Amino acid sequence: MPSLAIHHVLDSLAVGGAETLVCSLARFQQQAGHRVVVHCRAASGPLAHELQTAGIPVLLHNAPSRRLTLLGLFRTFRRYRPDVVHCHNIAPTVLAAPVARIAGVPCVVSTRHGTVTRSRRRERKFWLAARFCWRVVAVSHFAAQQLASGPWARPDKLTVILNGAALPPALRAGLPLTSSPRPFTLISVGRLHRVKDFPSLLRAVALATASFPHLRLWILGDGPERTQLESLASELGITHCVKLLGARNDVGRWLAQADVFVLASLSEGVPIALLEAFAAGLPAVVTAVGGMPEVVQCCGAGVVVPPSQPEALAQAILDLAHSPDRLKTLGELARGCYARHFTLERVAADYLRLYMERLAPHRP
């Protein structure tokens, strides 16, 4: 397989699911012998250091005016002459896809890591820019259907590449599970933002502990709703069994010591945290939004409940807490599902095939 110059363009390198996937993909591609550069549209972020330590250049494009930003991006593409410019989400595609094609980049791809936004204006701008893309990638079949239904969509450009995740370091190292008696442990990973609906999860935990007090919840992540969530936990009387652990770079260590992964989101693509939980052998309780039902139901490794219904969420948690044999079976299914469908190696191979479909006719 030839060595390619692959440039990823995204908003920032703040800690998030899409950003984590792009960083993992960039490192994997570099290790496979490709020349990788990452461009940030608006800001850098904590993940930039990881890439730079791995020898991957991180370039920031936030000139004082849009005209200067476009000019700088054009000059960068002309200087590096990438084979592939891979844009991630709406704004980076609107910015970089037309510039890349004008600069002579032979393969321009865009990945939408979520589903359709509520902004008709943003969707229109995206699909106008997507005319310059070889393909638009959806991360689930549900997302592809949603994207194709828009008034400006180009279904002929859409393809599906399911998300994948790198195996967290603690799991690669085979961190042993604790053998000491401990509470039944739920874990949720995500930004503390309205769309993740952590209030519903806290209310579900309050309901569940009323009949199953030997239960605790770990929430890994940070964000604007932290103070409100702390207040709600106090109001519900569950501060003794809920820990808000903040943003962590050792998620695998916590996954390895939990029993069930839970996401109560109102909107999702295919969360990287869910795939990492599967890698850890955790069954999942998730809401029926985005690509999560598709992931969980493809191998039966969890339970899907309606969003914004703490009672249904609590019942699903209790059903698993009272069924250790079922919990073990679902955990084995989760680990097998990850190995078959959601590894980073599979994602990288799928993207490479997509790139080469476009590049093969242009290469000797």
Side-chain angles (χ1 to χ4, degrees), residues 18 42 70 75 107 153 188 191 206 235 271 303 308 356:
L70 292 170
R75 288 173 173 169
C107 178
S188 191
R191 182 166 160 75
E235 177 186 326
V303 182
S308 303
M356 292 309 300

Side-chain angles (χ1 to χ4, degrees), residues 10 14-24 47 88-89 113 163 272:
L10 65 166
V15 177
E19 294 81 5
T20 298
L21 175 59
V22 172
C23 288
S24 297
L47 295 175
H88 298 270
N89 285 329
H113 292 273
N163 268 354
I272 302 303

